[in-house]
Amino acid sequence: MQERRAPRRERLAAIERQLDRAIAPDRLAELEGEFGLPTDEGLPLDQRQAALTAKARARFEGTPDALTYSASTLATLTVHPEPVSRLDYSHGIPPEARTLVAVPVLLGSPEDIDTLVDALEVRYLANRDPQLGFVLLSDLPDAATETTPDDAARIERARAGIARLNACYGRADDGNDRGSPFALLHRPRTWNAAEGVWMGRERKRGKLADLNALLLEGRTGAFSHIEGDLVALAGSVRFVITLDADTQLPRDAAAAMVGALAHPLNRARFDEDSGRVVEGYGILQPRVDVMPSSVHRSAYARLHGGEAGIDPYSQLASDAYQDVFGEGSFIGKGIYDVAAFEAAGRSFPDNRILSHDLLEGCYARSGLLSDTQLYEDMPARHLVDARRRERWIRGDWQIGGWLLARVPGADGRRRNPLSALSRWKIADNLRRSLV
């Protein structure tokens, strides 16, 4: 097998070496003919060389992802991408676009809790704006009982950390009280018969759903502990930026994301009949890069941190979905319209969806902001990375049922409302998990 593959690799390497150099147009036309590509002398040479490279890789590597690479390259060459429209909020977010930065977390050790509070302070300092609030949405780890001896101390440590931040930053430079920019919303464990454990209801998705219920209707019953005056914001918050615990929010990135989703051309239009957003965007997904400092934490991180790979959870830049169809994929870190996001998620069944991000992006219609960046840590050990990927793959297969004509819903099975593009995204994730 290795002997048969070697000539293919050598042939591909030879073609790529030629394309790396400036070659004569007649030689380029000869290679295009060999690979069945039309010769268009009106195209710039670099575009012709890129298309030829993609075609050569698809033929000689012979893998599905080579085909994906080829299709994406050709789409980039033939389609003129339209940038996502945005408003300029660099000088301040207006009150009608008030936004919360929400970080769903688990309260672990005292040191972990301090790290969560410190990270929330860093995000605030990089994105200070009177119309931005910052909240920790917390659960306790799963347990065999409703409470454990350490629960009260964990909750109190998180509450005290948020209170300290509000005492430090709750007043403007002129001494006037400007409210509480930070908040803690903590949920108690509930019994999950399907899992056989006491846990936070629906984990991350449940935390965001309970936050949305508070913001839209003022309902606080899901939370056992509230620190800060977030309840006073009910009805006034339009957008939520959701981040993972290890996601960094760079300077002024929040204003850029809010300005994009607030643009009238991007306003989500929810269709009651289909139960999904059919125009505009309910979610905008920024580009996610590896935090440079995390690459040097271990040999494994140094080995893999510089190469994000082809899976959609490692890194996002401009891609064929957004360039061709005007629609991207949601990977759980981005900004969403509270009303549209909650309306689109009403039909999701409980205890059925482990990896909800892609499905939420399909229902709420996600767009890609490739010129706005977030940063997250690179796993330091192979086992951590493998467990993370296993969780993603399990979640992808769990939502494989959304390829069928009828899908699970909160009140039973219903007709599948997803578009053909959304179903293809799900199918492509399943294909990728088998490569």
Side-chain angles (χ1 to χ4, degrees), residues 148-413:
T148 67
D150 295 334
D151 289 354
R154 293 175 179 177
I155 297 170
E156 175 57 26
R157 194 175 189 96
R159 188 209 63 77
I162 295 298
R164 173 180 59 80
L165 293 182
N166 281 328
C168 181
Y169 300 105
R171 289 188 176 275
D173 294 336
D174 58 6
N176 293 323
D177 188 356
R178 59 182 178 191
S180 303
F182 300 93
L184 170 71
L185 294 177
H186 177 78
R187 303 190 308 167
R189 297 186 186 94
T190 58
W191 174 249
N192 187 310
E195 297 280 347
V197 71
W198 290 88
M199 54 176 278
R201 185 188 70 85
E202 286 295 298
R203 303 191 187 280
K204 177 183 175 181
R205 185 170 75 87
K207 286 196 276 278
L208 292 177
D210 291 335
L211 172 65
N212 295 340
L214 186 155
L215 297 177
L216 294 172
E217 305 170 20
R219 289 191 281 146
T220 62
F223 302 103
S224 59
H225 295 79
I226 297 177
E227 176 66 29
D229 58 2
L230 188 62
V231 178
L233 301 178
S236 66
V237 173
R238 184 177 171 188
F239 305 126
V240 168
I241 296 174
T242 177
L243 306 172
D244 288 345
D246 64 342
T247 307
Q248 303 296 322
L249 188 65
R251 183 177 179 85
D252 298 330
M257 295 163 67
V258 175
L261 196 54
H263 195 283
L265 292 178
N266 299 328
R267 186 167 299 162
R269 186 174 74 82
F270 182 77
D271 180 60
E272 291 287 349
D273 294 334
S274 64
R276 63 184 181 89
V277 174
V278 294
E279 289 183 11
Y281 299 111
I283 302 171
L284 285 177
Q285 171 67 58
R287 177 179 172 182
V288 181
D289 285 338
V290 173
M291 191 70 179
S293 59
S294 71
V295 175
H296 303 287
R297 294 189 302 175
S298 68
Y300 179 80
R302 286 193 296 272
L303 180 63
H304 294 277
E307 179 57 51
I310 56 174
D311 68 274
Y313 302 102
S314 296
Q315 186 178 28
L316 278 180
S318 184
D319 66 354
Y321 288 134
Q322 183 69 36
D323 293 345
V324 178
F325 302 102
E327 184 176 335
S329 296
F330 183 48
I331 61 172
K333 297 167 274 284
I335 183 171
Y336 66 81
D337 182 295
V338 176
F341 186 86
E342 184 60 22
R346 282 198 303 252
S347 62
F348 292 168
D350 287 346
N351 294 318
R352 289 293 301 271
I353 306 173
L354 176 65
S355 181
H356 49 84
D357 301 330
L358 178 62
L359 205 57
E360 288 168 343
C362 293
Y363 273 84
R365 197 166 189 268
S366 174
L368 175 64
L369 286 177
S370 59
D371 58 349
T372 301
Q373 284 183 295
L374 303 177
Y375 293 94
E376 65 179 5
D377 289 341
M378 175 70 194
R381 298 187 302 278
H382 170 70
L383 185 59
V384 174
D385 196 17
R387 287 174 176 170
R388 183 177 67 162
R389 292 174 186 272
E390 179 197 19
R391 186 172 67 251
W392 291 338
I393 292 173
R394 285 171 51 209
D396 289 338
W397 281 93
Q398 273 190 337
I399 65 174
W402 269 260
L403 296 173
L404 305 177
R406 299 187 67 81
V407 297
D411 52 357
R413 299 188 72 84

